[in-house]
Amino acid sequence: MPMQTARPTASLNPITRADFGPDEARHLLWHAGFGGDPFDISTAIDLGPEDAVDRLLDVPGANGVDTSKFRGDIVREWTDAEEEQLRRARQRRNENTLARFREMRQEMQRNDRRQFAELQAWWLEVLATTAHPLQEKMTLFWHGHFATSYRGVENSYHLLLQNQLFREHAVGKFDTLLYGIVRDPAILAYLNNNRSNKREPNENLARELMELFSLGVGNYTERDIKEGARALTGYTFEGNQFVFRDEWHDDNTKNILGVRGPINGDDFVTAILRQPACARFLALKLYRFFVADVSDDPKQIPDNVTLVIGHMASALRRDRYDVKPVLRELFLSEHFYDPANMAGRIKSPVELIAGATRSLDLPVGFHIAMVRMLDAMGQELFRPPSVAGWDGGRSWINTSTIYARQNALALMLAGGRRNPQQRQQFAAGYDPRTVIPNGMTMSGDEFATAMLRHALGPIGDASNPIGAARLESLQEFLETIGPNFGREAAVGVIALITAMPEYQLC
Amino acid sequence: MSCDCHDTPFTRRLFLQRGVTLASSAATIPLFLQRSAFAMTNWDMALSFQPGVPEERILVVVQLAGGNDGLNTVVPYSLSQYYDARRSIAIPEREALALGSTGLGFHPKLAGLKSLYDEGLVSVVQGVGYPNPNRSHFKSMDIWHTADTAGTGRGWLGRYFDNECSGSPQPDIGVAVGSEAPLAMQGKQVRPVSFDNPDAFTWRAAEAHERLSDAYDDIVETPVPAGVSPDSSAAFLMRTALDARVTSDQVRRAVESRSSVNYPRTELANQLRMVAAMIRGGMATRVYYVTLSGFDTHAGQGAANGRHANQLAQVGDAMRAFVSDLKATGDDARTMTMIFSEFGRRVSQNASGGTDHGAAAPAFLIGPMVHPGVLGNHPSLTDLDQGDLKYGIDFRSLYTTVLDRWMGADARAVLGRRYSILKVIR
């Protein structure tokens, strides 16, 4: 039973209710969200494919999450009076005043780093516990797409504002987001546009706007970048607000992507959105995020998949960049549920953590330890490695990150706490047998079989070569335990399952 | 389909129990395990055969990620155009650490590298780049990593590994320190081992109970089951987990050993400290790879002090400690370090006191076997390609030289073409 060599059907016809069984429901929950426990899976089956998908797509605005604990005034610019004071102190070399200002700045930065750590833990908890998993999954998608790191922004509140922008338009319109992003303080700071002026325009935002956010390499010229940078001059912010500085803006004629005129930043975005490459670029990224780890080079993608992506791109253009109908069609399609697409993706670290929490009913104990684990796995929230975001697929996996993944899950099973006493309290409370229906009355063998099937999906079935080999290893482990199968042995079984190489797949 | 030695059943415990007698059971044991068993016994002999001629030559690659500003690294202080283009970020002539009478000087914070230069251990290769420079970080980095101007395909070091160990991948031939495994080291059959923190380079739950530990080994050492395609992600994950398990003990033991040298407390120094420990520990690794990011200085890069200066100080000081560590154990002669970045930066500074993505830039080779000094002409500051320096030396010439003259490999087979050899290695 070779995997991934079979060609998936290119059919986007909707899957029938009769074909929507436990494997399909599980697949939907993992791919369009962060997995589910057996109860979530049976609920989805009862709803049937249409209602299950619509329930995922029905999301509230950004105000569905509580952000009230975050403060927007920790990092601030100096007031006019303070600037004047500072200027005079510099002039007169008044070291005491200068030192006082330096300390004030450092104090702000320290406080902000504290808030940033809270922000990271907060979002991870939202991801793992949300009632709207697709909304958070798309927020994560946009975070990876418009990748912005705290390093280079150093303002946690700006990152929260950006996160809320993504959440608000999670399954909304891409064009709205693209106009929004050139006015987003976090990205303006991250890509150095906040000081870009007509005398010396900074090219960073103009380049990444086309290369990474919309068109992809090869669909624009170096000249488009240089002129695009001029179009974006004067796009900056003050405090937490976007401002357009007329006196910095270059309003001379420009030539960008075949459009000629006194183009400003918004016109530049409009010119980008008119390019056919834009919808194709977005469709491929959505496909790789939601369906399977195909190459990001269109030439290396199998024909059937190219057809599906081409269809998604046309749909995006037809619906004027509205993402929701495209996702709905995809999540209902026969292509999405093709066996070749089951277990065809490597989970991102966030999917791994949030998914384990939801599918194994782990009590949530998120704090710094889990955020650190995400870093070790290569996906620290709000700190992508670069503006290109995370490559995904096999690039997640190397000898370092595979241990980090196995260890993160082991740590979670131990309660995600470093303090041994807390760990003991947790360990005494969590019984994985409660995850599986009738698990409490099962023998070790029955539990291992059922948990393997739940945790690995179809490849964990005893009829699959992988499932069969893994079950044998678990049985050997259970033999060493002896006849008394209890809670601790069940924790052992689950620790081993989460350490299996194929647990990384969904 | 693809050669996959991990398909052959074996267990690590079996290997450890039987030790060197493994060679007799060749039919069931992957070649790399036999080889490392051999390497352990023959190590001393291999080195003592020809005193003074290092047999097991090692390459250490230091990647400066983000695009290092070459002009402020090796400063052309004798050129007035340099000062015209960089009003607030130029390095004043009096502060540059002059490299003899070349008219060039290291950035003042590169004192560590300068002391190595003065010892005759550094070769500065000027104006390294490639035709039609790509100013995207990602594309340009891919181009450097693949040695292909389209930036596609496998890594150049990965292809070298594939060639070296045809048919018998040895998982520890390439080791990357850090949580990312660089594209440069990804071959068809061979992928690098990477680790970030040695304490976490093992399955921690195994500490809880011996039974768990045994069961874990059993799972990870189970061969890829028949019927699972070797190209599938499942098989890929199984192979990676096995590579991790097989190298974990070795790496952790090596890195635990103490060095006699004090390293600065910086990220790069810590990485190089671990590399030196692995070299000292006699690992069979031929290529080590470390990365320092933070060179993308679009804004506020500073001049003799500031952001870029701090980055360079980290490089120079870490290299100085690394070289003296290698010297202390006599491993310096068989180790060469190459420092590169994906591109240099624009000649003129921008409005934010920084520099935008550029093109050609200097690279460095460090070790007792290099031809010390400055190689190549400094690129012109007036004859520019869209505001950027034109390259004089193709980076694939540098690779060819390293492969051919240092690693003793068939550079043409690895790179697919012959490039001229530079006079940088003795």
Side-chain angles (χ1 to χ4, degrees), chain A residues 1-4 192 200 202-204 207 211-212 386 394 398-401 403 406-407 470 473 480 501-502, chain B residues 136 138 179 194 200 202-204 211 216 218-219 227 231-234 237 244-245 298 346 349-352:
Chain A
M1 192 189 308
M3 295 187 305
Q4 288 189 352
N192 317 106
E200 286 170 296
N202 190 302
E203 294 174 6
N204 216 2
R207 176 188 303 278
E211 176 177 336
L212 299 171
S386 75
R394 291 191 186 184
N398 57 50
T399 57
S400 170
T401 58
Y403 271 136
Q406 294 168 340
N407 287 334
R470 296 307 178 226
S473 295
T480 66
E502 48 287 340
Chain B
S136 145
F138 318 105
S179 54
S194 61
T202 182
W203 190 51
R204 302 297 295 271
R211 286 182 203 138
Y216 175 83
D218 187 54
I219 287 166
D231 296 330
S232 66
S233 292
L237 285 158
R245 182 67 193 92
H298 282 282
R346 193 72 39 90
Q349 71 179 85
N350 63 23
S352 331

Side-chain angles (χ1 to χ4, degrees), chain A residues 80-362:
Chain A
D80 288 349
E82 285 167 331
E83 282 285 6
E84 181 58 23
Q85 244 185 318
L86 198 56
R87 195 184 58 79
R88 262 190 248 157
R90 281 203 195 100
Q91 223 166 36
R92 299 176 189 166
R93 297 176 194 272
N94 184 339
E95 290 302 328
N96 284 343
T97 307
L98 289 175
R100 190 164 55 80
F101 271 94
R102 235 184 346 261
E103 264 162 43
M104 274 163 65
R105 179 59 69 196
Q106 281 166 355
E107 173 74 13
M108 279 181 205
Q109 286 166 345
R110 265 197 305 279
N111 289 337
D112 194 59
R113 281 198 291 273
R114 216 168 293 139
Q115 173 159 291
F116 176 65
E118 276 176 42
L119 179 69
Q120 290 183 302
W122 169 81
W123 192 20
L124 185 55
E125 185 160 339
V126 170
L127 283 158
T129 59
T130 176
H132 303 284
L134 180 60
Q135 182 178 32
E136 292 307 317
K137 193 152 197 175
M138 276 304 290
T139 304
L140 181 63
F141 172 82
W142 296 123
H143 176 41
H145 185 81
F146 298 110
T148 308
S149 170
Y150 185 68
R151 184 199 285 245
V153 175
E154 292 184 31
N155 185 322
S156 57
Y157 196 74
H158 288 175
L159 286 170
L160 174 67
L161 292 178
Q162 189 190 66
N163 194 242
Q164 289 290 64
L165 174 74
F166 297 155
R167 190 168 285 108
E168 182 69 32
H169 303 287
V171 291
K173 297 187 79 222
F174 175 67
D175 53 353
T176 314
L177 264 179
L178 205 58
Y179 288 113
I181 210 72
V182 297
R183 293 161 176 267
D184 173 61
I187 215 139
L188 290 170
Y190 186 52
L191 296 179
N192 317 106
N193 208 79
N194 49 337
R195 297 206 197 313
S196 186
N197 62 61
K198 58 185 167 194
R199 262 189 39 238
E200 286 170 296
N202 190 302
E203 294 174 6
N204 216 2
L205 177 60
R207 176 188 303 278
E208 309 309 4
L209 189 60
M210 292 189 283
E211 176 177 336
L212 299 171
F213 302 165
S214 63
L215 300 177
V217 169
N219 295 304
Y220 54 88
T221 62
E222 285 290 319
R223 178 166 173 188
D224 292 326
I225 293 173
K226 288 204 156 80
E227 310 249 312
R230 291 171 50 210
L232 287 166
T233 47
Y235 277 58
T236 183
F237 61 90
E238 260 171 37
N240 299 325
Q241 292 286 327
F242 167 78
V243 292
F244 175 68
R245 277 194 202 269
D246 207 11
E247 69 277 18
W248 286 4
H249 181 67
D250 178 345
D251 55 5
N252 291 318
T253 300
K254 303 156 197 94
N255 252 312
I256 309 176
L257 297 166
V259 181
R260 195 181 141 80
I263 300 170
N264 66 21
D266 293 45
D267 304 328
F268 180 22
V269 171
T270 305
I272 287 171
L273 289 164
R274 282 207 193 112
Q275 301 286 313
C278 186
R280 282 203 305 270
F281 183 76
L282 182 61
L284 174 56
K285 278 196 111 170
L286 286 168
Y287 186 90
R288 293 180 78 220
F289 190 77
F290 282 109
V291 187
D293 292 331
V294 293
S295 167
D296 59 357
D297 176 3
K299 289 190 282 287
Q300 295 192 32
I301 295 175
D303 292 349
N304 276 7
V305 172
T306 304
L307 280 174
V308 172
I309 294 169
H311 182 90
M312 288 169 69
S314 324
L316 277 170
R317 270 202 299 281
R318 183 192 63 216
D319 298 325
R320 295 205 260 157
Y321 291 110
D322 196 352
V323 169
K324 199 175 199 167
V326 177
L327 290 184
R328 187 173 194 277
E329 188 177 14
L330 182 68
F331 295 155
L332 286 172
S333 71
E334 289 178 335
H335 174 80
F336 186 69
Y337 297 98
D338 192 290
N341 284 333
M342 297 244 179
R345 274 188 78 242
I346 293 173
K347 295 169 189 166
S348 68
V350 170
E351 286 174 299
L352 183 76
I353 298 298
T357 310
R358 298 174 90 96
S359 62
L360 302 177
D361 296 331
L362 286 165

Side-chain angles (χ1 to χ4, degrees), chain A residues 31-51:
Chain A
H31 282 235
F34 299 100
D37 66 10
F39 177 77
D40 298 328
I41 293 170
S42 64
T43 306
I45 300 170
D46 292 345
L47 286 170
E50 296 235 354
D51 288 353

Side-chain angles (χ1 to χ4, degrees), chain B residues 68-79:
Chain B
N68 177 39
D69 183 13
L71 280 175
N72 274 18
T73 304
V74 180
V75 180
Y77 61 77
S78 51
L79 301 176

